[in-house]
Amino acid sequence: MKRNHGVLRARSAVAVLLTTALVGAGCADPDEPGPDRQTRVDQAFQRYADGVREKEGVSAAPTRHLLAGTDKLIGGTEVTLWVTDPAASPEVDARCYYLDLEERGGWVSGFGGCGGADDQVTLNRNNEIVFGTVGRWPASTVRISRGTASTDIAVTGGWFLVPNWLTSVGDNSYSIELVGADGQTICTVRNLTPPASVTPVT
C-alpha cells in the first residue's frame, strides 16, 4: 500500500549506530600477508556477536552476515559494506554493520558498530563514504538523489551503500525515497545531511 509521509524530525546524530570503532589498520608484509577481506569481515562479526551475547544475555548471538554494497573511491580504495543477516537472528535486537576498506597500496582498515533497528531512516558519512539504513521500514530499494543526480540502490538487511559518484566530502543534503518490493513508494525523506536520522510520519 502506498503511503505518503513527511519528515517529523531530523537529528544530527547517527541514531541507530550505538557503537562505532576502528577495528584494525595496517599494511600487510608481503612475506607475512595479513588476513584477506573475508577473514577480516568474519572476525569483525565474531567480535560483534561476542558483544551482543554479553549485552543481550543470549546464548548464541548471530555471526551470519551479508554483503550490502561495494564501491571504489577516487583514490582506488575498495569499499565493501557488510551487515547482519536479520533472517538468521530474528530474536536478537542488535543489527551490526562493518565497512571494510582496502587501499591500492595494501593498507587495510575497517570500522563498524551495532544498534537496535527502529523507525528511523539514517544516513551516515565517513569522509566521502555515505551509507545508511532504512530501520524497520520494509524497503527493498532506495532512490537517493543529490541535486539533479539520482540512482536506485538495493537494500540488503536494511542497509545500503551510496555510490561514490553521488557523494562528496561537503555538507550536501540528500533525498531518499523508500520503495517496497511491489515498486510502490513507502515514504520519502528530504534534505537529509549526514550524519542524521529522520522519523517519517504517517
Side-chain angles (χ1 to χ4, degrees), residues 3 134-141 155 178-182 184 186-187:
R3 305 176 189 170
V134 298
R136 286 193 290 255
W137 295 95
S140 61
T141 305
V155 174
L178 275 60
V179 180
D182 59 359
Q184 296 295 310
I186 300 171
C187 64

Side-chain angles (χ1 to χ4, degrees), residues 68 140-146 149-155 159-163 165-166 175-180 183 185:
S140 61
T141 305
V142 292
R143 184 165 296 127
I144 186 165
S145 59
R146 180 172 67 88
S150 68
T151 190
D152 289 356
I153 308 168
V155 174
W159 295 81
F160 58 92
L161 177 65
V162 181
W165 63 264
L166 192 61
S175 293
I176 305 174
E177 180 181 349
L178 275 60
V179 180
T185 297

